[in-house]
Amino acid sequence: MNPLHTLNLGTLPFEGAPLDSPHHAADTDQYALDENPRYRILRGFASRYLTDTRDVRIYLPEAYLSDPTRNFPVFYLHDGQNLFDGRTSYMPGHTWRAHLTADRLTAEGRIEPIILVGVDNAGDRRMAEYTPTRDPEYGGGEGPLYGRMIVDELKPILDTTLRTLRDAPNTALGGSSLGGLLSLFLGLQYPNVFGKLAVLSPSVWWDHRSILHTIGAPRRFSIPRFASNPPAEPTPPRARIWLDMGTAEGLRHLRDCDVLARRLSTRGWLPGQELSYTRFPDAVHNEDAWADRFGQVLAFLFPAH
């Protein structure tokens, strides 16, 4: 049996400060993460579906330690190296500041306390793992296997180890660029697992915009003439989706995202309610831009009750 299944927070085999170390409500120095008991790292997580191991970075809300009887929603995010620690980010010193933003909005009462889970990318194999289909020019297409890693392996371990709310309405998936594309794809593939999606600056262009074909056109049902009372077809759960694009990311990408938003709307997502689509003026395609709007992402997906 995997030892993680038998452990509680007090004996997690994750790297991090002792759980009885001094309290850190909102670190401003990236090096303070090393002393923050709410920041844990699972090193070298291996999957039977993928060839590369990866680190998994977990940031717990303050209430996790102060209220041991409470369970919490979980937000899974791709590119874990770029979320918290400027020493590991793609652009050194530039991160999403995800933990700082979550702590601040929680303290202000604007969002509910959540567990952030950053799944590191596989470096040179990032493109392969973050793409849902195989592009004739760039290859890739291992996104479904990456999805199985999260759904079949990582999530069950964390749900057993941590005090999580395990249902779809309390489980989110998100990322940017190819990570945004992958989040939307996996959210559509696993509607009973992920009830909230954060799709930032998605790479709609991948494989001749194949994600638009995945979403498809509105379904039309034909009712047999002999069926006076046809059985009602069950309606699959519909995820709450945050979608965005910066106006400085390129006209092609902006237009692709506009089409994606319209396609989701025609498939039944209600703009302003189940779907939030925002064009951010002058925003570019990098960690600083995504950090600047991450608070709005959290407020839409996890509003305080």
Side-chain angles (χ1 to χ4, degrees), residues 50-55 57 78-82 88 90 119-130 142 146 178:
L50 303 171
T51 58
D52 293 88
T53 62
R54 70 207 65 233
D55 292 347
R57 305 166 191 275
H78 313 300
D79 292 314
Q81 298 99 319
N82 300 332
T88 62
Y90 178 73
V119 184
D120 279 12
N121 65 57
D124 291 342
R125 291 189 50 75
R126 178 182 183 272
M127 178 179 289
E129 293 186 353
Y130 281 18
E142 296 179 19
Y146 178 92
L178 286 176

mmCIF file of all heavy atoms in Angstrom, residues 50-55 57 78-82 88 90 119-130 142 146 178:
data_model
loop_
_atom_site.group_PDB
_atom_site.id
_atom_site.type_symbol
_atom_site.label_atom_id
_atom_site.label_comp_id
_atom_site.label_asym_id
_atom_site.label_seq_id
_atom_site.Cartn_x
_atom_site.Cartn_y
_atom_site.Cartn_z
ATOM 1 N N LEU A 50 2.758 8.256 -17.443
ATOM 2 C CA LEU A 50 3.701 9.201 -18.025
ATOM 3 C C LEU A 50 5.131 8.770 -17.719
ATOM 4 O O LEU A 50 5.390 8.097 -16.715
ATOM 5 C CB LEU A 50 3.447 10.609 -17.485
ATOM 6 C CG LEU A 50 2.033 11.162 -17.711
ATOM 7 C CD1 LEU A 50 1.847 12.468 -16.940
ATOM 8 C CD2 LEU A 50 1.760 11.370 -19.194
ATOM 9 N N THR A 51 6.055 9.191 -18.553
ATOM 10 C CA THR A 51 7.437 8.746 -18.403
ATOM 11 C C THR A 51 8.208 9.553 -17.373
ATOM 12 O O THR A 51 9.159 9.039 -16.784
ATOM 13 C CB THR A 51 8.168 8.828 -19.759
ATOM 14 O OG1 THR A 51 8.119 10.187 -20.235
ATOM 15 C CG2 THR A 51 7.513 7.910 -20.780
ATOM 16 N N ASP A 52 7.837 10.798 -17.143
ATOM 17 C CA ASP A 52 8.612 11.678 -16.267
ATOM 18 C C ASP A 52 7.980 11.793 -14.888
ATOM 19 O O ASP A 52 6.762 11.819 -14.756
ATOM 20 C CB ASP A 52 8.727 13.073 -16.879
ATOM 21 C CG ASP A 52 9.568 13.085 -18.144
ATOM 22 O OD1 ASP A 52 8.997 12.856 -19.222
ATOM 23 O OD2 ASP A 52 10.784 13.310 -18.048
ATOM 24 N N THR A 53 8.836 11.900 -13.873
ATOM 25 C CA THR A 53 8.357 12.244 -12.540
ATOM 26 C C THR A 53 8.265 13.758 -12.431
ATOM 27 O O THR A 53 8.816 14.489 -13.253
ATOM 28 C CB THR A 53 9.303 11.707 -11.452
ATOM 29 O OG1 THR A 53 10.591 12.320 -11.622
ATOM 30 C CG2 THR A 53 9.436 10.189 -11.559
ATOM 31 N N ARG A 54 7.602 14.218 -11.388
ATOM 32 C CA ARG A 54 7.427 15.667 -11.211
ATOM 33 C C ARG A 54 7.168 15.959 -9.737
ATOM 34 O O ARG A 54 6.681 15.096 -8.991
ATOM 35 C CB ARG A 54 6.280 16.188 -12.068
ATOM 36 C CG ARG A 54 4.897 15.740 -11.609
ATOM 37 C CD ARG A 54 3.924 15.695 -12.755
ATOM 38 N NE ARG A 54 4.314 14.668 -13.716
ATOM 39 C CZ ARG A 54 4.468 14.898 -15.021
ATOM 40 N NH1 ARG A 54 4.244 16.093 -15.515
ATOM 41 N NH2 ARG A 54 4.830 13.922 -15.825
ATOM 42 N N ASP A 55 7.463 17.176 -9.322
ATOM 43 C CA ASP A 55 7.132 17.613 -7.975
ATOM 44 C C ASP A 55 5.701 18.138 -7.950
ATOM 45 O O ASP A 55 5.209 18.682 -8.952
ATOM 46 C CB ASP A 55 8.086 18.717 -7.507
ATOM 47 C CG ASP A 55 9.508 18.213 -7.311
ATOM 48 O OD1 ASP A 55 9.698 16.983 -7.291
ATOM 49 O OD2 ASP A 55 10.413 19.054 -7.185
ATOM 50 N N ARG A 57 3.374 20.695 -5.616
ATOM 51 C CA ARG A 57 3.492 21.744 -4.598
ATOM 52 C C ARG A 57 2.110 22.054 -4.036
ATOM 53 O O ARG A 57 1.174 22.330 -4.794
ATOM 54 C CB ARG A 57 4.127 22.995 -5.212
ATOM 55 C CG ARG A 57 5.462 22.687 -5.881
ATOM 56 C CD ARG A 57 5.955 23.817 -6.787
ATOM 57 N NE ARG A 57 7.085 23.344 -7.585
ATOM 58 C CZ ARG A 57 8.341 23.345 -7.172
ATOM 59 N NH1 ARG A 57 8.631 23.828 -5.963
ATOM 60 N NH2 ARG A 57 9.309 22.882 -7.921
ATOM 61 N N HIS A 78 -1.689 23.660 -13.331
ATOM 62 C CA HIS A 78 -0.525 23.183 -14.074
ATOM 63 C C HIS A 78 0.647 24.144 -13.884
ATOM 64 O O HIS A 78 0.504 25.229 -13.319
ATOM 65 C CB HIS A 78 -0.872 23.066 -15.563
ATOM 66 C CG HIS A 78 -2.169 22.378 -15.828
ATOM 67 N ND1 HIS A 78 -2.432 21.089 -15.435
ATOM 68 C CD2 HIS A 78 -3.305 22.817 -16.444
ATOM 69 C CE1 HIS A 78 -3.651 20.750 -15.813
ATOM 70 N NE2 HIS A 78 -4.198 21.781 -16.415
ATOM 71 N N ASP A 79 1.815 23.731 -14.388
ATOM 72 C CA ASP A 79 3.022 24.562 -14.304
ATOM 73 C C ASP A 79 3.296 24.989 -12.866
ATOM 74 O O ASP A 79 3.487 26.175 -12.563
ATOM 75 C CB ASP A 79 2.893 25.800 -15.206
ATOM 76 C CG ASP A 79 2.898 25.460 -16.680
ATOM 77 O OD1 ASP A 79 3.758 24.660 -17.106
ATOM 78 O OD2 ASP A 79 2.039 25.985 -17.422
ATOM 79 N N GLY A 80 3.332 24.011 -11.970
ATOM 80 C CA GLY A 80 3.514 24.309 -10.557
ATOM 81 C C GLY A 80 4.764 25.111 -10.245
ATOM 82 O O GLY A 80 4.790 25.864 -9.268
ATOM 83 N N GLN A 81 5.799 24.995 -11.071
ATOM 84 C CA GLN A 81 7.038 25.751 -10.836
ATOM 85 C C GLN A 81 6.801 27.256 -10.859
ATOM 86 O O GLN A 81 7.562 28.019 -10.257
ATOM 87 C CB GLN A 81 8.091 25.412 -11.897
ATOM 88 C CG GLN A 81 8.540 23.965 -11.935
ATOM 89 C CD GLN A 81 7.845 23.185 -13.030
ATOM 90 O OE1 GLN A 81 6.638 23.364 -13.243
ATOM 91 N NE2 GLN A 81 8.569 22.316 -13.715
ATOM 92 N N ASN A 82 5.762 27.686 -11.575
ATOM 93 C CA ASN A 82 5.547 29.119 -11.785
ATOM 94 C C ASN A 82 4.552 29.745 -10.820
ATOM 95 O O ASN A 82 4.273 30.943 -10.920
ATOM 96 C CB ASN A 82 5.046 29.358 -13.213
ATOM 97 C CG ASN A 82 6.017 28.885 -14.263
ATOM 98 O OD1 ASN A 82 7.222 28.854 -14.038
ATOM 99 N ND2 ASN A 82 5.499 28.493 -15.417
ATOM 100 N N THR A 88 12.052 28.811 -8.795
ATOM 101 C CA THR A 88 11.786 27.693 -9.702
ATOM 102 C C THR A 88 11.029 28.115 -10.953
ATOM 103 O O THR A 88 10.834 27.295 -11.847
ATOM 104 C CB THR A 88 10.961 26.602 -8.992
ATOM 105 O OG1 THR A 88 9.677 27.139 -8.603
ATOM 106 C CG2 THR A 88 11.680 26.085 -7.755
ATOM 107 N N TYR A 90 9.742 29.815 -14.512
ATOM 108 C CA TYR A 90 10.320 29.879 -15.861
ATOM 109 C C TYR A 90 11.106 31.175 -16.047
ATOM 110 O O TYR A 90 12.204 31.176 -16.590
ATOM 111 C CB TYR A 90 9.207 29.762 -16.894
ATOM 112 C CG TYR A 90 9.667 29.862 -18.320
ATOM 113 C CD1 TYR A 90 10.371 28.818 -18.921
ATOM 114 C CD2 TYR A 90 9.399 30.994 -19.077
ATOM 115 C CE1 TYR A 90 10.810 28.900 -20.231
ATOM 116 C CE2 TYR A 90 9.833 31.091 -20.402
ATOM 117 C CZ TYR A 90 10.526 30.049 -20.970
ATOM 118 O OH TYR A 90 10.959 30.140 -22.273
ATOM 119 N N VAL A 119 0.954 21.301 -9.913
ATOM 120 C CA VAL A 119 1.591 20.118 -10.493
ATOM 121 C C VAL A 119 2.669 20.594 -11.464
ATOM 122 O O VAL A 119 2.361 21.234 -12.471
ATOM 123 C CB VAL A 119 0.565 19.236 -11.220
ATOM 124 C CG1 VAL A 119 1.219 17.962 -11.748
ATOM 125 C CG2 VAL A 119 -0.604 18.895 -10.302
ATOM 126 N N ASP A 120 3.922 20.304 -11.171
ATOM 127 C CA ASP A 120 5.012 20.770 -12.028
ATOM 128 C C ASP A 120 4.893 20.195 -13.439
ATOM 129 O O ASP A 120 4.433 19.059 -13.624
ATOM 130 C CB ASP A 120 6.369 20.342 -11.459
ATOM 131 C CG ASP A 120 6.838 21.259 -10.346
ATOM 132 O OD1 ASP A 120 6.028 22.081 -9.865
ATOM 133 O OD2 ASP A 120 8.017 21.147 -9.962
ATOM 134 N N ASN A 121 5.323 20.978 -14.415
ATOM 135 C CA ASN A 121 5.403 20.453 -15.776
ATOM 136 C C ASN A 121 6.671 19.609 -15.928
ATOM 137 O O ASN A 121 7.548 19.613 -15.064
ATOM 138 C CB ASN A 121 5.348 21.575 -16.813
ATOM 139 C CG ASN A 121 6.557 22.505 -16.746
ATOM 140 O OD1 ASN A 121 7.702 22.080 -16.868
ATOM 141 N ND2 ASN A 121 6.298 23.786 -16.548
ATOM 142 N N ALA A 122 6.758 18.895 -17.025
ATOM 143 C CA ALA A 122 7.871 17.963 -17.243
ATOM 144 C C ALA A 122 8.986 18.562 -18.087
ATOM 145 O O ALA A 122 9.708 17.830 -18.783
ATOM 146 C CB ALA A 122 7.350 16.679 -17.881
ATOM 147 N N GLY A 123 9.125 19.889 -18.063
ATOM 148 C CA GLY A 123 10.224 20.519 -18.786
ATOM 149 C C GLY A 123 10.102 20.349 -20.283
ATOM 150 O O GLY A 123 9.149 20.835 -20.907
ATOM 151 N N ASP A 124 11.040 19.657 -20.880
ATOM 152 C CA ASP A 124 11.058 19.492 -22.329
ATOM 153 C C ASP A 124 9.834 18.746 -22.843
ATOM 154 O O ASP A 124 9.488 18.865 -24.030
ATOM 155 C CB ASP A 124 12.315 18.731 -22.756
ATOM 156 C CG ASP A 124 13.591 19.546 -22.567
ATOM 157 O OD1 ASP A 124 13.480 20.780 -22.429
ATOM 158 O OD2 ASP A 124 14.680 18.956 -22.539
ATOM 159 N N ARG A 125 9.163 17.994 -21.997
ATOM 160 C CA ARG A 125 7.989 17.236 -22.414
ATOM 161 C C ARG A 125 6.693 17.965 -22.071
ATOM 162 O O ARG A 125 5.610 17.376 -22.151
ATOM 163 C CB ARG A 125 8.004 15.847 -21.781
ATOM 164 C CG ARG A 125 9.118 14.956 -22.351
ATOM 165 C CD ARG A 125 8.982 13.522 -21.865
ATOM 166 N NE ARG A 125 7.635 13.003 -22.062
ATOM 167 C CZ ARG A 125 7.136 12.628 -23.242
ATOM 168 N NH1 ARG A 125 7.870 12.727 -24.338
ATOM 169 N NH2 ARG A 125 5.912 12.172 -23.323
ATOM 170 N N ARG A 126 6.795 19.228 -21.695
ATOM 171 C CA ARG A 126 5.596 19.991 -21.352
ATOM 172 C C ARG A 126 4.604 20.019 -22.506
ATOM 173 O O ARG A 126 3.406 19.782 -22.323
ATOM 174 C CB ARG A 126 5.971 21.425 -20.963
ATOM 175 C CG ARG A 126 4.762 22.315 -20.635
ATOM 176 C CD ARG A 126 5.208 23.737 -20.293
ATOM 177 N NE ARG A 126 4.087 24.569 -19.914
ATOM 178 C CZ ARG A 126 3.338 25.265 -20.759
ATOM 179 N NH1 ARG A 126 3.599 25.208 -22.081
ATOM 180 N NH2 ARG A 126 2.337 26.004 -20.328
ATOM 181 N N MET A 127 5.068 20.325 -23.704
ATOM 182 C CA MET A 127 4.172 20.414 -24.846
ATOM 183 C C MET A 127 3.475 19.078 -25.104
ATOM 184 O O MET A 127 2.271 19.035 -25.366
ATOM 185 C CB MET A 127 4.914 20.870 -26.100
ATOM 186 C CG MET A 127 4.028 20.932 -27.341
ATOM 187 S SD MET A 127 4.901 21.500 -28.825
ATOM 188 C CE MET A 127 5.137 23.232 -28.423
ATOM 189 N N ALA A 128 4.218 18.000 -25.009
ATOM 190 C CA ALA A 128 3.622 16.688 -25.256
ATOM 191 C C ALA A 128 2.513 16.395 -24.259
ATOM 192 O O ALA A 128 1.428 15.911 -24.628
ATOM 193 C CB ALA A 128 4.690 15.600 -25.186
ATOM 194 N N GLU A 129 2.754 16.694 -22.984
ATOM 195 C CA GLU A 129 1.793 16.352 -21.944
ATOM 196 C C GLU A 129 0.616 17.322 -21.860
ATOM 197 O O GLU A 129 -0.456 16.942 -21.384
ATOM 198 C CB GLU A 129 2.499 16.301 -20.587
ATOM 199 C CG GLU A 129 3.497 15.174 -20.462
ATOM 200 C CD GLU A 129 4.084 15.055 -19.076
ATOM 201 O OE1 GLU A 129 3.810 15.944 -18.228
ATOM 202 O OE2 GLU A 129 4.802 14.085 -18.832
ATOM 203 N N TYR A 130 0.798 18.549 -22.318
ATOM 204 C CA TYR A 130 -0.243 19.563 -22.158
ATOM 205 C C TYR A 130 -1.130 19.708 -23.396
ATOM 206 O O TYR A 130 -1.916 20.651 -23.475
ATOM 207 C CB TYR A 130 0.393 20.914 -21.840
ATOM 208 C CG TYR A 130 0.822 21.087 -20.395
ATOM 209 C CD1 TYR A 130 0.992 20.000 -19.555
ATOM 210 C CD2 TYR A 130 1.058 22.352 -19.864
ATOM 211 C CE1 TYR A 130 1.380 20.154 -18.238
ATOM 212 C CE2 TYR A 130 1.451 22.527 -18.553
ATOM 213 C CZ TYR A 130 1.618 21.423 -17.739
ATOM 214 O OH TYR A 130 2.010 21.593 -16.429
ATOM 215 N N GLU A 142 -0.399 13.891 -25.536
ATOM 216 C CA GLU A 142 -0.417 13.061 -24.343
ATOM 217 C C GLU A 142 -1.311 13.633 -23.240
ATOM 218 O O GLU A 142 -1.318 13.138 -22.110
ATOM 219 C CB GLU A 142 1.006 12.867 -23.807
ATOM 220 C CG GLU A 142 1.913 12.114 -24.767
ATOM 221 C CD GLU A 142 3.324 11.943 -24.228
ATOM 222 O OE1 GLU A 142 3.503 12.083 -23.000
ATOM 223 O OE2 GLU A 142 4.243 11.686 -25.036
ATOM 224 N N TYR A 146 -2.010 12.539 -19.230
ATOM 225 C CA TYR A 146 -1.769 13.466 -18.121
ATOM 226 C C TYR A 146 -3.034 13.600 -17.277
ATOM 227 O O TYR A 146 -2.974 13.631 -16.037
ATOM 228 C CB TYR A 146 -1.338 14.814 -18.678
ATOM 229 C CG TYR A 146 -1.108 15.896 -17.658
ATOM 230 C CD1 TYR A 146 0.161 16.116 -17.113
ATOM 231 C CD2 TYR A 146 -2.149 16.724 -17.256
ATOM 232 C CE1 TYR A 146 0.381 17.128 -16.185
ATOM 233 C CE2 TYR A 146 -1.948 17.735 -16.321
ATOM 234 C CZ TYR A 146 -0.692 17.936 -15.788
ATOM 235 O OH TYR A 146 -0.475 18.944 -14.872
ATOM 236 N N LEU A 178 -0.884 26.577 -23.086
ATOM 237 C CA LEU A 178 -1.237 25.172 -23.305
ATOM 238 C C LEU A 178 -1.916 24.584 -22.074
ATOM 239 O O LEU A 178 -2.767 23.700 -22.182
ATOM 240 C CB LEU A 178 0.002 24.359 -23.662
ATOM 241 C CG LEU A 178 0.573 24.543 -25.073
ATOM 242 C CD1 LEU A 178 1.856 23.739 -25.226
ATOM 243 C CD2 LEU A 178 -0.431 24.132 -26.150
#
